[in-house]
C-alpha cells in the first residue's frame, strides 16, 4: 500500500530530500517505504476529514516535519558503527603476542627472528584494518569462487607444495612459506557461510528429488572434498579444526539435516581412509589408545607441559632457555608462557580468549543481516576451536596435535586470522547500513 503514494510528485520530492541527507544508500529504499507508510496513514485521515487528495498530501507532508531535519536524524541512526569492545580485545591479544614473541625469540633466537615475525603481524593488522572498511556483502557473490579457489590451491599444494615435517601443506614464494592448509578452514568456512545464506534466500524447492540432490551436493562440498584433501595431506589438526568449526556453523544456523549428513559422510570417509592405509590406522589408534591409557611415550609432551605450568607459580620463573618443554616455540607456547610469566599471564590469555569468544558470538546474534551473522559465526568458530584446543592441550585435557595459539604466535597464516577479524569488524561497522530488503547478491 505504501508504494502507491510514492508516485505522488510532492511525496517523491520530500523523500528525495530526506534520503539526500543519508549517506548509507543501501537503506534508502527502507526509509522511503517507512516514511511512505506514515504518510499514507496521515493522508487517509485527512481525506476522511473532507480534504481533496492534493490538500491531504500537502498537510500530511507538513505534519511529518522538515525533511532535512528528518534526514539528518536518520543519517545519525544509519552511520558506521565501531565495536570498540572487540577492538580492545584484539589490542590485548596484540600486546600478549608481542610479549610472547619476545619470549619465544629469547628461547630460540635462531628459529624465531623478531624482524620477519613482526612483519607478518604488521601485515596482518593492516589487512584487518583494510577489511574493516570493505563492504563485506561484496564477498557474498564470491562465495562459490572463494570455495573452489581454496580447494584448487589446496590441490595444487598437495601436488606441488613443499613438504615440511612429513606433510605437504606449504607453498613457497621466494624465502616466504605460506601454510595453505592452516588458512583453509578460515577460507572454506567464510565461503560456506555465504553459500548457506544464498540457499536460505532462495525459495525452498517442494520436490523431494530436488531437495535430496541439493543435500547430496552440500555433503560433497562441505564434507567429502575438504576432508579428502585433509586426509591426503595428513593434515589431521586442520581437519579437526574444519570439522568442529563447520559443526558449530551448521548447528547455530539450524541446519540439522546437513549436520547429520556431513557427519555420517565424514565418518565414512575417515573409516575408508583407515582401511586403505593400515599403517595410518595403527599409528592413529595406537596414539589414541596410548593417550587414554596414559602411556609415558604418548603423554610425554603433556607431562612436560604440566610440569612447566605447575613450576610457573603465580608470577613465573622468568625466561629460561634450559627448561625442557617440547615444541615450546609452537604448540606448547602457552605452557612456556605460564612457566616464564606465571599463571597471572596465563589467566589473562584464557580470560581474553573467553571474552573474545563471547563478544564474537554476541556480535553475530545482534547483526540483522543473516549473511553477516553466519560470517561472524564462521570466523568465531575457527578462531576459538584453535585457541581453546591449544590451551586444553597444554593442560593435558585433550590429545596433543599440531595446533598453535592463533593471534598470539605470529607467522604467515596470521595475516588470514587478522583479515578474518577485519571482516567481523566490517560487518559490525555496517550493521545499521544494510537494507532489510537487501538482495541475496548485492
Amino acid at each position: 500500500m505504501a508504494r502507491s503514494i510514492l508516485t505522488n510528485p510532492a511525496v517523491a520530492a520530500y523523500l528525495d530530500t530526506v534520503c539526500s541527507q543519508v549517506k548509507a544508500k543501501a537503506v534508502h529504499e527502507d526509509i522511503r517505504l517507512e516514511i511512505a507508510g506514515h504518510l499514507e496513514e496521515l493522508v487517509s485521515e485527512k481525506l476522511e476529514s473532507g480534504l481533496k487528495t492534493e490538500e491531504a498530501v500537502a498537510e500530511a507532508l507538513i505534519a511529518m516535519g522538515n525533511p532535512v531535519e528528518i534526514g539528518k536524524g536518520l543519517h545519525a541512526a544509519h552511520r558506521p558503527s565501531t565495536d570498540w569492545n572487540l577492538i580492545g580485545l584484539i589490542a590485548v591479544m596484540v600486546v600478549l603476542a608481542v610479549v610472547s614473541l619476545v619470549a619465544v625469540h629469547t628461547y630460540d633466537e635462531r628459529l624465531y627472528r623478531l624482524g620477519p615475525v613482526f612483519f607478518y603481524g604488521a601485515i596482518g593488522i593492516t589487512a584487518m584494518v583494510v577489511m574493516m572498511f570493505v563492504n563485506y556483502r561484496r564477498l557474498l557473490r564470491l562465495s562459490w569462487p572463494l570455495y573452489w579457489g581454496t580447494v584448487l590451491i589446496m590441490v595444487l599444494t598437495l601436488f606441488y607444495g613443499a613438504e615440511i615435517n612429513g606433510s605437504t601443506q606449504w607453498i613457497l614464494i621466494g624465502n616466504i612459506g605460506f601454510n595453505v592448509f592452516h588458512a583453509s578452514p578460515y577460507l572454506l568456512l567464510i565461503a560456506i557461510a555465504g553459500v548457506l545464506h544464498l540457499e536460505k534466500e532462495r525459495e525452498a524447492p517442494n520436490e523431494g528429488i530436488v531437495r535430496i540432490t541439493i543435500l547430496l551436493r552440500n555433503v560433497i562440498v562441505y564434507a567429502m572434498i575438504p576432508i579428502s584433501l585433509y586426509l591426503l595431506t595428513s593434515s589431521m589438526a586442520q581437519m579437526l579444526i574444519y570439522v568442529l568449526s563447520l559443526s558449530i556453523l551448521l548447528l547455530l544456523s539450524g541446519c540439522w539435516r546437513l549436520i547429520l549428513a556431513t557427519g555420517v559422510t565424514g565418518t565414512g570417509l575417515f573409516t575408508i581412509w583407515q582401511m586403505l592405509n593400515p599403517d595410518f590406522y595403527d599409528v592413529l589408534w595406537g596414539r589414541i589408545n596410548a593417550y587414554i591409557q596414559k602411556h609415558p611415550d604418548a603423554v610425554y609432551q603433556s607431562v612436560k607441559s604440566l610440569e612447566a605450568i605447575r613450576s610457573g607459580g603465580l608470577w613465573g620463573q622468568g625466561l629460561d632457555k634450559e627448561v625442557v618443554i617440547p615444541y615450546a616455540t609452537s604448540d606448547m607456547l602457552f605452557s612456556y608462557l605460564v612457566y616464564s610469566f606465571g599463571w597471572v599471564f596465563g589467566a589473562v590469555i584464557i580470560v581474553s580468549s573467553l571474552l573474545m569468544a563471547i563478544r564474537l558470538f554476541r556480535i553475530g546474534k545482534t547483526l540483522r543481516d543473516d549473511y553477516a551473522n553466519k560470517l561472524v559465526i564462521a570466523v568465531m568458530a575457527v578462531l576459538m576451536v584453535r585457541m581453546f584446543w591449544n590451551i586444553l592441550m597444554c593442560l593435558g585435557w585433550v590429545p596433543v596435535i599440531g595446533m598453535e595459539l592463533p593471534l598470539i604466535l605470529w607467522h604467515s597464516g596470521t595475516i588470514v586470522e587478522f583479515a578474518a577479524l577485519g571482516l567481523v569488524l566490517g560487518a559490525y561497522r555496517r550493521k545499521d547500513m544494510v537494507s532489510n530488503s537487501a538482495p541475496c547478491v548485492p
Side-chain angles (χ1 to χ4, degrees):
M1 294 175 62
R3 289 185 180 274
S4 61
I5 202 173
L6 294 174
T7 57
N8 185 288
V11 172
Y14 183 90
L15 295 176
D16 286 343
T17 303
V18 171
C19 290
S20 67
Q21 304 299 313
V22 182
K23 292 184 179 181
K25 295 182 179 180
V27 298
H28 283 188
E29 182 66 15
D30 289 348
I31 290 173
R32 288 178 182 275
L33 290 175
E34 181 180 355
I35 295 178
H38 294 308
L39 283 172
E40 197 163 48
E41 292 177 2
L42 291 172
V43 169
S44 297
E45 293 176 2
K46 303 296 181 182
L47 290 174
E48 290 176 359
S49 66
L51 294 178
K52 294 181 180 179
T53 300
E54 293 302 320
E55 294 175 336
V57 170
E59 291 200 10
L61 290 174
I62 293 173
M64 282 295 296
N66 188 323
V68 174
E69 294 301 321
I70 293 175
K72 289 180 178 179
L74 290 170
H75 171 68
H78 294 283
R79 286 185 299 180
S81 303
T82 302
D83 190 334
W84 293 108
N85 292 323
L86 181 57
I87 290 178
L89 289 169
I90 294 172
V92 171
M93 287 293 184
V94 170
V95 172
L96 292 173
V98 172
V99 174
S100 303
L101 293 170
V102 170
V104 168
H105 174 72
T106 302
Y107 186 85
D108 193 334
E109 297 177 4
R110 181 188 60 82
L111 182 62
Y112 274 91
R113 292 176 297 165
L114 292 181
V117 171
F118 284 143
F119 172 78
Y120 290 132
I123 295 296
I125 294 171
T126 302
M128 179 182 69
V129 174
V130 170
M131 295 305 297
M132 178 179 174
F133 290 95
V134 171
N135 185 351
Y136 70 94
R137 286 193 65 85
R138 296 182 184 277
L139 190 62
L140 181 55
R141 71 177 68 188
L142 300 175
S143 297
W144 279 114
L146 177 61
Y147 174 85
W148 290 114
T150 303
V151 169
L152 177 60
I153 294 173
M154 292 170 73
V155 172
L156 291 176
T157 304
L158 173 63
F159 288 102
Y160 303 107
E163 182 176 334
I164 299 177
N165 296 328
S167 181
T168 310
Q169 302 181 28
W170 299 74
I171 55 173
L172 297 179
I173 304 174
N175 294 326
I176 299 176
F178 183 79
N179 191 327
V180 171
F181 283 77
H182 175 93
S184 62
Y186 294 101
L187 301 176
L188 291 173
L189 266 294
I190 289 172
I192 291 173
V195 173
L196 288 172
H197 175 72
L198 292 172
E199 290 184 349
K200 183 178 180 179
E201 289 294 304
R202 297 192 184 100
E203 294 185 3
N206 295 322
E207 299 83 357
I209 297 298
V210 176
R211 290 196 176 196
I212 293 174
T213 302
I214 293 175
L215 181 63
L216 179 61
R217 182 206 66 185
N218 288 340
V219 167
I220 294 172
V221 169
Y222 300 163
M224 292 185 68
I225 294 176
I227 291 176
S228 296
L229 289 171
Y230 288 127
L231 288 172
L232 288 171
T233 54
S234 299
S235 305
M236 296 299 108
Q238 307 307 326
M239 184 178 74
L240 178 64
I241 293 167
Y242 174 77
V243 170
L244 292 178
S245 302
L246 177 64
S247 300
I248 293 171
L249 176 60
L250 295 179
L251 178 64
L252 296 181
S253 300
C255 303
W256 298 101
R257 292 180 181 177
L258 264 177
I259 293 176
L260 179 61
T262 53
V264 171
T265 303
T267 303
L269 278 173
F270 195 69
T271 302
I272 293 172
W273 178 258
Q274 292 179 85
M275 294 173 62
L276 295 175
N277 297 270
D279 292 338
F280 172 80
Y281 174 85
D282 293 338
V283 171
L284 176 65
W285 290 107
R287 288 182 178 179
I288 293 176
N289 184 61
Y291 177 81
I292 294 173
Q293 300 297 327
K294 302 301 180 184
H295 190 277
D297 291 337
V299 296
Y300 174 76
Q301 293 183 46
S302 297
V303 169
K304 289 299 181 182
S305 171
L306 287 172
E307 287 179 357
I309 289 174
R310 293 191 184 106
S311 301
L314 192 61
W315 300 106
Q317 302 297 323
L319 301 177
D320 183 0
K321 294 184 179 182
E322 304 303 323
V323 63
V324 179
I325 305 175
Y327 301 101
T329 59
S330 55
D331 300 353
M332 293 297 173
L333 174 62
F334 178 78
S335 305
Y336 181 64
L337 293 175
V338 174
Y339 173 83
S340 300
F341 303 116
W343 256 111
V344 171
F345 193 85
V348 172
I349 294 177
I350 294 173
V351 171
S352 300
S353 302
L354 284 170
L355 291 176
M356 180 172 283
I358 293 170
R359 188 58 196 158
L360 288 171
F361 181 79
R362 287 182 175 176
I363 289 174
K365 288 303 178 183
T366 57
L367 298 177
R368 61 181 179 177
D369 180 16
D370 177 73
Y371 173 52
N373 173 271
K374 288 180 169 57
L375 197 63
V376 173
I377 291 173
V379 173
M380 176 199 72
V382 181
L383 276 174
M384 294 306 113
V385 167
R386 286 189 187 278
M387 182 70 73
F388 290 112
W389 188 284
N390 180 273
I391 293 173
L392 295 175
M393 181 177 75
C394 291
L395 294 173
W397 294 356
V398 295
V400 175
I401 57 176
M403 199 177 297
E404 302 169 348
L405 278 173
L407 304 177
I408 292 180
L409 190 62
W410 290 353
H411 43 69
S412 58
T414 302
I415 298 172
V416 177
E417 293 172 353
F418 276 114
L421 282 174
L423 277 177
V424 173
L425 290 169
Y428 185 88
R429 184 174 182 272
R430 302 182 66 85
K431 69 183 181 71
D432 297 318
M433 302 169 63
V434 178
S435 170
N436 290 324
S437 56
C440 181
V441 179

